[in-house]
């Protein structure tokens, strides 16, 4: 039979000072871990959700990102006429040829330059990118140097307001509207007329990508178009993939970097947390030697003593986990941004404390669950040796008066 | 008034205990032979370091003798593994300590219930045992109090209730009044006396206090690990010694 649970959890509450130190250490590790995972998850969400699963994207063969891609207009026109491209309500193809370039603009606070995606859009772009909506002002007029900026960008850069103008290279652009896109990475872009883009930047008839709505099942459309691209000698220079899969890939490098660096930092801090828990538990065992001796004299086995102290350490850890999780909620939804190393462009996103952990716990709250498990593991590891010491006490020694 | 039966509940034959400390042998019990009858009330006396606690611990199965034989409640304790010994303790003996050793985070009720969780009893049966034990020591109305809300004498009475709860044949008390004032000490001794007389418990009390020893029927004196004196309050029983 086990020592009653009440013995373990009440003992935590009794030694407030000593417990508080261990709890604080564990809570700190939890906060750091949660925040880093929330950062990675927020970034992943912003970028990975940019693509629609119903869309396919055409890029130059071998291009890792839209920025390095080139798609010639003639090739795109051939694809546009294929039956795999869906047709909209008014009979036109839901097919958009787009340009993309990086422009660098000084940050308003003088802390250097930001590299920002400038996208040349077609009249069909809004049909293809369904989530994109105007929030403020109006859309740019076709054939002008007017632009609309993504909401995240407008938030991060103070000088990005409607009515403002900015200069990039020798070109002047005028901001006339702000658009939103469910918080994904389009909101970190500036959009303008693709034709003006091409003449401004002397692009000839080369675009970066063609994106379209698949008719019927996207998976089947993808397979059949792949076959067509393989067979048609005019289409040898391009490849096709699902737009959602493309953006997911764009998010992975950066998210893994955050997760790995975060993992290393958390690991180092966790060692501190474990040592803290171990100290507290060693002190508890030393202080309660005679209680332990008394329980052994009653006939409790060394195993049940071990369990009682492990449970006590787990209680410490779960209090730490709870406090850590609650504290980290403060970070939820805070907006931030970084340069996406996969595209070199500035990407805005928010901390998603309530999100999941990609590849490990992909459900809402996954981050908090994984972090709590980390805390409990710290409690277990920290409590292991002290509990072993407690269970190995010889009863007559333990009962001796100090 | 119940008299001790003629059945020995404890038999020591040339029982020896040697501690080893820093390569040195400490002969703590030197060939002690002794019978204690069921239902007896024994006071164990002697100077500090004479081996009283050691003897009590051996009888209670907390430690194993280095040599000789030790039979308690019909069981040769030398034959038991540590695990079996723990189970045997749960079923046959209870200890009462000088410093009470209640678990401070548990209530009186939970403290008394603790050893019962080691026995195959239902919740309701445990509750009944606890209430009975607390009633015997006169603390039924304090059962939801924590040890720090009780006086020293009350704490020791809860500890006695805890010792009683499993209804062991044998109660072993190591200086149970050592930390108590005279009044509380008297209460505790009255309680132990009634447990012996009315409930037939066999009791061994280690003490330095002649008044406490006076409550017992039989007084054993240890000197340097050797049984030096064995005295009956009423000389109706012969001194138990090594058999011929
Ligand atoms: N675990 C041990 N290791 C080494 N020596 C021990 C151990 N336990 C007891 N001793 C020694 O055995 C001797 C008897 O100790 P014991 O505790 O039995 O004495 P006691 O009669 O109970 O004394 P007191 O009245 O002070 O409680 C002492 O010399 C003590 O130092
Ligand atoms: Mg002693």
């Amino acid at each position: 039979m086990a020592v009653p649970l009440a013995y373990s959890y009440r003992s935590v509450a009794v030694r407030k000072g000593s417990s508080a130190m261990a709890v604080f250490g564990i809570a700190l590790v939890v906060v750091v871990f949660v925040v880093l995972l929330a950062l990675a998850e927020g970034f992943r969400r912003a970028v990975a959700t940019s693509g629609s699963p119903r869309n396919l994207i055409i890029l130059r063969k071998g291009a890792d990102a839209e920025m390095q891609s080139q798609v010639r207009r003639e090739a795109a026109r051939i694809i546009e006429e294929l039956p795999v491209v869906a047709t909209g309500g008014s009979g036109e193809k839901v097919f958009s040829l787009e340009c993309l370039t990086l422009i660098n603009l000084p940050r308003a606070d003088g802390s250097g330059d930001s590299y920002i995606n400038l996208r040349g859009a077609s009249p069909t772009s809004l049909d293809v990118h369904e989530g994109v909506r105007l929030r403020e002002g109006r859309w740019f007029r076709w054939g002008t140097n007017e632009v609309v900026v993504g909401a995240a960008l407008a938030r991060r850069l103070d000088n990005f307001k409607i009515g403002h103008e900015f200069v990039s290279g020798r070109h002047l652009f005028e901001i006339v509207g702000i658009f939103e896109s469910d918080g994904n990475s389009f909101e970190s872009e500036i959009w303008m007329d693709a034709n003006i883009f091409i003449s401004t930047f002397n692009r000839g008839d080369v675009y970066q990508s063609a994106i379209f709505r698949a008719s019927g099942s996207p998976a089947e459309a993808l397979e059949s178009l792949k076959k067509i691209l393989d067979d048609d000698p005019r289409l040898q220079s391009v490849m096709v993939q699902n737009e959602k899969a493309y953006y997911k890939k764009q998010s992975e490098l950066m998210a893994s970097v955050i997760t790995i660096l975060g993992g290393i930092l958390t690991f180092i801090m966790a060692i501190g947390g474990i040592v803290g828990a171990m100290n507290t538990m060693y002190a508890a065992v030393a202080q309660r030697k005679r209680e332990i001796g008394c329980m052994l004299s009653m006939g409790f086995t060394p195993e049940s003593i071990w369990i009682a102290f492990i449970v006590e350490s787990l209680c410490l850890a779960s209090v730490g986990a709870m406090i850590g999780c609650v504290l980290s909620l403060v970070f939820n939804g805070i907006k931030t941004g970084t340069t996406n190393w996969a595209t070199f462009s500035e990407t805005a996103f928010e901390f998603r404390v309530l999100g999941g952990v990609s590849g490990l716990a992909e459900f809402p709250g996954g981050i908090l669950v994984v972090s709590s498990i980390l805390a409990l593991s710290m409690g277990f590891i920290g409590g292991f040796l002290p509990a072993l010491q407690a269970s190995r006490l010889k009863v007559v020694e333990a009962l001796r008066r100090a | 008034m119940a008299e001790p039966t003629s059945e020995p509940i404890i038999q020591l034959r040339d029982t020896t205990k040697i501690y080893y400390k820093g390569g040195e042998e400490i002969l703590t019990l030197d060939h002690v032979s002794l019978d204690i009858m069921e239902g007896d009330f024994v006071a164990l006396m002697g100077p500090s370091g004479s081996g009283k606690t050691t003897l009590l611990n051996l009888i209670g199965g907390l430690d194993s003798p280095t040599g000789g034989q030790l039979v308690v409640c019909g069981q040769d304790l030398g034959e038991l593994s540590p695990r079996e010994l723990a189970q045997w303790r749960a079923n046959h003996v209870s200890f009462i300590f000088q410093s009470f050793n209640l678990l401070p985070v548990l209530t009186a009720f939970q403290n008394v219930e603790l050893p019962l969780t080691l026995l195959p009893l239902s919740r309701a049966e445990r509750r009944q045992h606890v209430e009975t034990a607390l009633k015997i020591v006169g603390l039924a109305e304090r059962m939801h109090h924590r040890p720090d809300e009780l006086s020293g004498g009350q704490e020791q009475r809860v500890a006695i209730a805890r010792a009683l709860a499993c209804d062991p044949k044998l109660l072993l008390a190591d200086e149970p009044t050592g930390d108590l004032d005279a009044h509380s000490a008297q209460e505790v001794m009255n309680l132990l006396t009634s447990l012996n007389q009315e409930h037939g418990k066999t009791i061994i009390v280690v003490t330095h206090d002649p008044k406490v020893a006076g409550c017992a029927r039989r007084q054993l004196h240890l000197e340097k690990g050797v049984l030096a004196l064995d005295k009956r309050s009423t000389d109706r029983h012969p001194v138990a010694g090594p058999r011929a």
Side-chain angles (χ1 to χ4, degrees):
Chain A
M1 261 303 272
V3 177
L5 275 183
Y7 176 68
S8 302
Y9 67 74
R10 286 192 196 151
S11 295
V12 170
V14 163
R15 295 169 297 119
K16 290 209 175 60
S18 171
S19 297
M21 290 303 290
V23 165
F24 176 77
I26 290 170
L28 195 68
V29 177
V30 168
V31 169
V32 168
F33 194 52
V34 167
V35 166
L36 286 166
L37 288 178
L39 197 69
E41 171 66 8
F43 180 83
R44 201 188 302 272
R45 271 294 281 264
V47 177
T49 60
S50 300
S52 157
R54 298 161 66 197
N55 288 349
L56 302 185
I57 180 168
I58 308 284
L59 297 174
R60 177 176 59 82
K61 218 172 233 171
D64 288 327
E66 218 177 342
M67 195 69 69
Q68 310 140 14
S69 162
Q70 293 186 336
V71 177
R72 304 194 79 82
R73 186 183 288 139
E74 311 87 79
R77 291 297 166 227
I78 297 169
I79 296 169
E80 185 175 4
E81 297 314 317
L82 295 171
V84 292
V85 180
T87 307
S90 44
E92 84 297 333
K93 291 286 196 169
V94 187
F95 184 95
S96 165
L97 263 173
E98 298 182 359
C99 311
L100 195 67
T101 192
L102 271 183
I103 57 173
N104 69 331
L105 292 172
R107 293 203 180 102
D109 61 4
S111 64
D113 287 358
S114 292
Y115 287 88
I116 293 164
N117 274 343
L118 177 65
R119 183 178 294 272
S122 319
T124 44
S125 286
L126 286 183
D127 299 327
V128 173
H129 303 291
E130 281 176 310
V132 175
R133 288 174 306 274
L134 189 69
R135 175 186 284 176
E136 263 175 69
R138 58 177 174 80
W139 284 105
F140 55 82
R141 282 173 299 162
W142 301 100
T144 69
N145 66 339
E146 292 173 355
V147 300
V148 290
V149 299
L153 207 53
R155 203 162 43 227
R156 275 175 67 71
L157 301 178
D158 285 343
N159 43 351
F160 274 32
K161 299 249 160 44
I162 293 172
H164 281 226
E165 293 178 338
F166 63 89
V167 176
S168 174
R170 284 170 289 110
H171 316 292
L172 180 78
F173 301 95
E174 188 192 340
I175 300 170
V176 297
I178 292 169
F179 69 91
E180 60 188 14
S181 180
D182 300 324
N184 66 35
S185 60
F186 288 130
E187 285 191 6
S188 296
E189 294 183 349
I190 303 173
W191 284 22
M192 65 181 293
D193 179 348
N195 288 326
I196 301 300
F197 183 109
I198 282 174
S199 61
T200 304
F201 296 99
N202 297 320
R203 288 299 177 88
D205 65 347
V206 176
Y207 294 76
Q208 266 58 59
S209 61
I211 304 147
F212 65 90
R213 172 85 32 79
S215 69
S217 137
E220 280 169 27
L222 180 65
E223 284 318 305
S224 72
L225 183 53
K226 270 184 182 165
K227 208 160 282 151
I228 293 167
L229 295 186
D230 279 345
D231 296 344
D232 192 324
R234 296 167 301 173
L235 300 177
Q236 288 306 301
S237 66
V238 296
M239 62 177 183
V240 63
Q241 53 194 309
N242 187 284
E243 193 195 17
K244 186 167 175 77
Y246 165 75
Y247 277 102
K248 190 159 190 289
K249 217 162 58 197
Q250 298 302 305
S251 73
E252 263 154 21
L253 171 66
M254 196 68 191
S256 328
V257 167
I258 298 174
T259 306
I260 290 169
L261 289 181
I264 293 170
L265 177 66
T266 305
F267 180 78
I268 294 167
M269 290 190 61
I271 292 174
I274 288 170
V275 169
M278 201 183 299
N279 274 335
T280 299
M281 290 310 297
Y282 267 130
V285 172
Q287 217 174 55
R288 305 219 298 273
K289 259 191 176 158
R290 272 195 277 136
E291 285 177 32
I292 297 164
C294 180
M295 286 190 275
L296 287 169
S297 79
M298 285 176 200
F300 282 100
T301 58
E303 292 77 30
S304 53
I305 302 290
W306 184 83
I307 291 170
F309 278 86
I310 279 290
V311 168
E312 185 169 332
S313 189
L314 290 176
C315 288
L316 271 180
S318 45
V319 174
M322 244 148 32
I323 293 176
C325 286
V326 169
L327 287 183
S328 61
L329 285 179
V330 171
F331 289 87
N332 195 35
I334 288 183
K335 313 250 190 267
T336 182
T338 184
T339 299
N340 182 355
W341 293 357
T343 62
F344 298 106
S345 62
E346 185 86 0
T347 303
F349 57 95
E350 59 179 49
F351 287 90
R352 300 185 64 94
V353 170
L354 299 175
V357 182
S358 168
L360 192 60
E362 293 181 354
F363 48 85
I367 289 177
L368 296 182
V369 170
V370 168
S371 303
S372 299
I373 291 172
L374 172 79
L376 290 179
S377 319
M378 286 167 61
F380 183 82
I381 297 171
F384 191 90
L385 290 177
L388 199 65
Q389 191 193 51
S391 71
R392 289 206 171 154
L393 281 176
K394 291 196 63 188
V395 50
V396 287
E397 307 281 350
L399 282 170
R400 283 188 158 260
R401 286 163 75 93
Chain B
M1 184 162 146
E3 286 292 319
T5 66
S6 50
E7 278 299 299
I9 189 171
I10 300 166
Q11 293 173 290
L12 286 85
R13 294 291 173 269
D14 290 326
T15 307
T16 299
K17 181 69 189 177
I18 300 170
Y19 284 114
Y20 298 92
K21 204 174 195 175
E24 216 180 307
E25 285 190 6
I26 306 169
L27 182 57
T28 306
L29 288 180
D30 188 3
H31 294 84
V32 175
S33 294
L34 171 72
D35 280 356
I36 290 174
M37 300 300 160
E38 186 160 2
D40 208 348
F41 190 166
V42 180
L44 188 53
M45 304 185 73
S48 184
S50 57
K52 304 182 295 294
T53 298
T54 304
L55 179 57
L56 202 70
N57 288 346
L58 287 183
I59 291 171
L62 294 183
D63 210 349
S64 311
T66 315
Q69 211 190 11
L70 175 58
V71 178
V72 183
C73 299
Q75 174 66 53
D76 185 341
L77 297 189
E79 289 174 348
L80 298 182
S81 67
R83 181 170 305 277
E84 291 167 328
L85 211 49
Q87 188 59 50
W88 178 86
R89 287 199 298 271
N91 286 307
H92 294 91
V93 285
S94 288
F95 292 86
I96 298 160
F97 304 97
Q98 178 173 353
S99 45
F100 326 137
N101 288 349
L102 296 177
L103 305 191
V105 298
L106 300 183
T107 62
F109 183 95
Q110 290 166 326
N111 265 290
V112 176
E113 190 184 26
L114 196 59
L116 293 171
T117 62
L118 292 164
L119 303 179
L121 296 173
S122 72
R123 227 185 144 77
E125 287 170 317
R126 285 210 303 266
R127 175 163 203 96
Q128 210 186 345
H129 281 62
V130 174
E131 281 170 359
T132 310
L134 281 170
K135 221 170 272 165
I136 291 174
V137 302
L139 285 173
E141 75 287 357
R142 307 302 293 269
M143 66 181 172
H144 297 303
H145 291 232
R146 301 260 179 100
D148 58 8
E149 298 164 329
L150 301 172
S151 72
Q154 288 170 331
E155 277 194 77
Q156 190 61 300
R157 277 150 65 197
V158 172
I160 292 172
R162 175 176 68 183
L164 281 179
C166 330
D167 199 20
K169 282 190 180 164
L170 195 51
L171 287 179
L172 305 176
D174 197 346
E175 303 189 38
T177 59
D179 282 1
L180 299 179
D181 61 60
H183 176 72
S184 304
Q186 191 55 55
E187 274 183 352
V188 163
M189 288 320 295
N190 289 346
L191 188 54
L192 289 180
T193 306
S194 85
L195 288 175
N196 172 248
Q197 294 183 353
E198 282 153 39
H199 297 84
K201 303 289 180 202
T202 309
I203 300 179
I204 305 177
V205 180
V206 171
T207 185
H208 290 287
D209 183 347
K211 256 176 85 183
V212 169
C215 298
R217 295 176 214 263
R218 182 180 179 191
Q219 288 160 12
L220 298 173
H221 284 255
L222 274 177
E223 303 261 1
K224 294 183 181 158
V226 178
L227 213 48
L229 187 71
D230 187 345
K231 198 176 86 185
R232 287 231 150 253
S233 299
T234 49
D235 268 338
R236 277 178 292 162
H237 294 274
V239 172
R243 286 182 183 162

